[in-house]
Each structure stands twice: as C-alpha cells, then as structure tokens.
Amino acid sequence: MTTTAPRQLHLNINALNAGVYASAWRWPASDPGGFADLGHYLRIARLAEKAKFDAIFLADTPAIKDRIDLRPINALEPTVVLAAIAASTTHLGLIGTASTSFNEPYNIARRFATLDRISGGRAAWNIVTTGVDEAARNFGQDAIAAHGQRYERAAEFADVVRRLWHSWDDDALVGDKARALLVDPAKLHAVDHHGEYFRVQGALTTPRSPQGHPVLVQAGGSDDGRGLAARHAEAIFTVSQTIEDGVAYAKDVRERATRLGRNGAGIVLLPGLSTVIGDTEAAARQRHEALADLIPPAYGFARLSSVLHRDVSTLDLDAPLPDDLAPPADGHHTAFHSTVGLARRENLTLRQLLRRLGGGIGHRVVIGTPEQVADDIARWFAAGAADGFNLMPDVLADGFEAFTEQVVPLLQRKGIFRREYEHTTLRGHLGLGAPEKP
Ligand SMILES: Cc1cc2nc3c(=O)[nH]c(=O)nc-3n(C[C@H](O)[C@H](O)[C@H](O)COP(=O)(O)O)c2cc1C
C-alpha cells in the first residue's frame, strides 16, 4: 500500500534589503548601509538555514526606480550575492531574480547553471519582465515594451534557457583519462533556436548540477503572467490578500498548467507574507505604528502613486480611493489589484491605506504574537491557499530573528514544517521531481 508523505510547508526568506517596511533602515537595530553589505545577507542566510528554511530569495530591478533618498533599494546583483551565500551555507536554496527584458538567454542560462553547479543543486531563477521605465532607459530604450509583448519575449526566453539547461545529458561529462575523452560530444546537444526574439546556437558551457537544472520561479498575476507561469513555473510567488484569493489563484494556475500537459498539482504556490511580531498583540501593533510613523509621507505618496499610476498626493487623505482608478496598461497589474482590493475590501481611507501598506505593494501583513502568526500560516496552508510563504519580515534581520526563534518552533510542533533537512537540493526541499524537458 503506497503512503504519500504528509504535505510539508515551504518557507523562503525574501531578503528585501532592510525589510519590507520603508522605514526599516531607520529602526534602532538596523544598519543604514546594510542593503549594500554582503555581511547583512550572509547573516540572514545563516538564520534561514539554521531555521531549516527552503531558500533565500533576492529580488531585483536593474535601475533606481524608487526614492533612494528615503529608502534602500536592491543594490547588489542577486547571483553574485547568492554565490557568496552558496559558499557559506550547505542546504539553503538560492533564488535570484533576473529580467527577461534586459538580458540574453545564453547569459542567464549560464549564470544560473553556474550557481546551481557551485552550490550542489540549490539554485532557482525568478523570471520577471521588469515593468518599470527607469530600467528601460538603462538599456537604450525610452520606455518598457507593452505588457503582452514583454510576456511574449519572456515565454520564448524561458523556453531557450530551459533547452540550454538540457543541452548536456546528465552523463555527458565522462572524464575518461585512459581514452582521453573528457566530454562525450554525442551527449551535448545544440539548441539551434531561431525564434521571434532570439537566435541561439548552444550547447551551454556548463555541465548539469545534481538537481538537473535550476528551479524555475515566476511572479506575476495578470492573465499574461499566469500564462507564463502555467507554461514554465515550478514555483510561483503570488500576492494573495485572502484565503479565497489564494485558493482561486491556485485553482486557476494549476488548471492552466494541466491543460498544457504539465502536472499542475505539483506547482508550489508561495504567497508573499509580511510579519510584525510582538510578545503581545498590543506590542506588535505598537511596533507597526512606530514603523509607520518613521515613513516620510513623501515616500508613502510616491510609492502608492507608482502602484496606482495616479498622483495620490493631491487626493483627500480622509476619503476612500477614487472610483475612477484604472490598472496600468503596461505596468504591474498585480500590485494595482491587490492594493485597490485591500482598500475597497476594508473600506480604508487614503491615510489608513498608506499606514497599512507600510511602503509595500499590497502583500498581506500579519501583525500579532508568534502564536497568532503561526496559526494564520497553518490556516492558509490547511485551506490550500498556499503551499508555503515568501516571508518578508518588517525589519531585517531583527524581525526575521523573532520569526525563526519564536514562530518556526510552533510550526514544527504543529507538524507542518521540517525539523531537519532531508535533502541537499532545492528541488528536494520543494518536493519537485527531475526537471521536465521543454
Ligand atoms: C513575491 C514577488 C516578488 C517579485 N519580485 C520581483 C523582482 O524581483 N523584480 C521585478 O521586476 N518584479 C518582481 N515582481 C513583480 C512581478 O514580476 C510582476 O512584474 C508583477 O507581479 C506584475 O505582474 P503582472 O503585470 O503580470 O501582474 C515580484 C512580484 C512578487 C509577487
């Protein structure tokens, strides 16, 4: 009789520079320069590995798009930092973001295959199309391409990267000194790709890693985004504010993948989750208020205006959001819908919404005791609204320490989170099989 292993919760730490609150760098425990310091990310990685997390995630935008005078940005290139983390950890997964709009497939395939090989099979690539004009202007363009076109390019890009990752058979590296045969050329395959956006000969330079190839991650909830996820993603970062949202998203994207002949049920869904933890609920609320007080209004206005594509600094602070807001044609659809959805669902005024967001883009925020946070996570997990979470603590590393020391033991006691690593690869941690051939 076959027994299926009980579902395991998955946890990533989203090492979002100083923390998800825009004021995290001003928090007493924070080092204002930490966002550009390797030591900061090594400390977070070691905390995550000690707590048996699946992975550390580094976001990226190849541009200064935010008010850098008021808040840190993702200053360091993810794969360089992840390579350093790989050398000082043994099990932690390494998820890095790279844009399909401002890179070439061969470079990205090679960079992540290298990270995967040097880490013993712990790498993952977060596929993003980068929806900000500031990035386009760093790559010889005046503005970002249209939303649909960005995703069309992304689909072909991911296809080529996967084929390059499969251009070495597992046993191509022979190393037979007696026969003077290092690599069996019959086990290397040119991809010979001629497409709409790319022409790539291949094969790749880099032999396979123990996990076959890096895990494919995607984050983008629009119809185009879900199409890309259904075609390529093995794990998906989502923005879900309610259990109903999470369940509906899971159902939709799994069905799309299944219609494409993939195992939709095997895709790992990881909503973003921000946490503010206190010994009592009142203490946690106080911490949230103190962090919100430290956010300069100019920053809150600038951030929300970029999400809503409307200058909110001219609006009535004590009124709800205007009814005539429309999603950005080519920008981030997901951030718009999750933010407006939150404001409407809870009937928030502009002032209340600004404080509630803490300078974020509409990810869910849980404010409470370790028990309340653990119960919330278990509820979403049991409801099938999430297979785990992309955790974004209020302040890094201080808020993350509270999570690893106080919430993780509760999740282990509930029997839903690992006490020890059972695998050495990220695929193993995530319960993913060998990579599918494209
Ligand atoms: C958890 C999470 C992490 C993300 N990380 C990045 C990132 O590192 N870089 C980036 O350009 N976009 C990032 N995004 C934005 C998405 O890639 C995408 O552009 C956005 O969700 C809008 O997609 P849509 O227009 O398909 O809705 C992230 C989104 C989520 C939910």
Side-chain angles (χ1 to χ4, degrees):
M1 187 182 68
T2 52
T3 55
T4 47
R7 264 177 86 219
Q8 272 288 322
L9 180 78
H10 300 292
L11 290 172
N12 295 339
I13 176 65
N14 183 342
L16 204 61
N17 49 70
V20 75
Y21 276 67
S23 53
W25 69 278
R26 300 179 71 194
W27 198 243
S30 296
D31 160 16
F35 75 102
D37 169 46
L38 176 59
H40 173 68
Y41 297 98
L42 287 178
R43 183 174 167 213
I44 296 166
R46 292 191 185 119
L47 280 171
E49 183 157 89
K50 189 163 164 251
K52 309 296 182 287
F53 266 52
D54 293 65
I56 184 168
F57 163 65
L58 295 179
D60 192 49
T61 300
I64 296 178
K65 65 172 171 64
D66 226 338
R67 290 279 307 262
I68 194 167
D69 53 330
L70 302 175
R71 180 190 191 167
I73 60 167
N74 304 319
L76 306 177
E77 198 282 319
T79 53
V80 175
V81 175
L82 292 172
I85 293 174
S88 61
T89 55
T90 54
H91 288 77
L92 189 67
L94 312 161
I95 309 178
T97 297
S99 175
T100 56
S101 297
F102 306 116
N103 280 296
E104 286 292 326
Y106 199 93
N107 287 334
I108 292 300
R110 192 157 178 253
R111 208 188 303 164
F112 282 88
T114 300
L115 180 64
D116 203 31
R117 196 157 170 95
I118 68 171
S119 65
R122 294 188 276 144
W125 168 39
N126 176 33
I127 313 169
V128 301
T129 68
T130 314
V132 294
D133 289 335
E134 290 85 346
R137 291 193 279 272
N138 289 337
F139 295 88
Q141 300 160 37
D142 298 325
I144 48 172
H147 194 269
Q149 198 189 341
R150 289 204 316 272
Y151 274 106
E152 215 179 79
R153 177 186 162 106
E156 184 182 331
F157 194 119
D159 219 38
V160 176
V161 166
R162 288 175 66 188
R163 291 172 58 201
L164 285 166
W165 283 340
H166 281 278
S167 64
W168 284 63
D169 290 351
D170 286 329
D171 54 357
L173 182 53
V174 180
D176 185 334
K177 296 178 183 176
R179 288 194 297 143
L181 182 67
L182 177 65
V183 169
D184 181 347
K187 299 192 173 185
L188 275 192
H189 312 285
V191 297
D192 206 13
H193 174 80
H194 293 256
E196 172 78 24
Y197 295 92
F198 307 106
R199 215 153 46 83
V200 179
Q201 171 69 29
L204 197 64
T205 60
T206 321
R208 316 275 297 248
S209 80
Q211 69 171 353
H213 71 54
V215 172
L216 286 156
V217 176
Q218 187 272 353
S222 63
D223 186 57
D224 291 324
R226 294 175 189 215
L228 181 73
R231 190 165 162 183
H232 291 292
E234 297 172 286
I236 305 176
F237 296 155
T238 69
V239 183
S240 301
Q241 283 280 349
T242 65
I243 284 186
E244 295 69 33
D245 283 356
V247 170
Y249 185 96
K251 184 170 179 297
D252 176 59
V253 87
R254 291 189 198 290
E255 283 173 1
R256 287 174 187 240
T258 306
R259 281 199 296 273
L260 293 171
R262 296 187 57 207
N263 166 22
I267 298 175
V268 180
L269 290 168
L270 304 164
L273 175 66
S274 302
T275 52
V276 184
I277 298 168
D279 295 341
T280 63
E281 188 174 339
R285 293 219 165 274
Q286 234 168 17
R287 183 177 164 104
H288 163 73
E289 296 303 332
L291 281 163
D293 288 344
L294 283 173
I295 300 175
Y299 180 83
F301 286 140
R303 180 75 169 175
L304 188 55
S305 299
S306 76
V307 168
L308 300 182
H309 283 245
R310 169 80 66 90
D311 177 4
V312 299
S313 65
T314 60
L315 301 176
D316 177 355
L317 271 172
D318 296 311
L321 292 181
D323 295 333
D324 63 349
L325 291 173
D330 292 330
H332 282 204
H333 295 193
T334 305
F336 175 91
H337 291 298
S338 63
T339 302
V340 173
L342 170 66
R344 302 269 188 254
R345 203 177 28 258
E346 302 193 9
N347 207 11
L348 302 174
T349 63
L350 176 57
R351 188 190 306 277
Q352 291 164 331
L353 178 62
L354 285 163
R355 286 187 77 77
R356 186 65 185 281
L357 290 172
I361 59 156
H363 284 286
R364 199 164 66 90
V365 184
V366 175
I367 303 169
T369 62
E371 291 72 21
Q372 288 173 317
V373 173
D375 291 348
D376 175 277
I377 288 173
R379 215 174 15 257
W380 275 63
F381 182 64
D387 298 314
F389 292 91
N390 211 28
L391 187 75
M392 295 176 283
D394 50 2
V395 177
L396 287 171
D398 156 275
F400 185 40
E401 249 160 3
F403 188 95
T404 57
E405 287 164 11
Q406 299 170 55
V407 179
V408 169
L410 297 172
L411 296 171
Q412 290 166 334
R413 226 170 289 147
K414 288 178 187 287
I416 61 173
F417 190 61
R418 68 177 69 82
R419 289 177 187 279
E420 293 304 333
Y421 286 114
E422 290 151 22
H423 302 276
T424 57
T425 67
L426 179 54
R427 277 180 190 284
H429 301 334
L430 292 173
L432 294 169
E436 299 159 60
K437 276 222 157 146

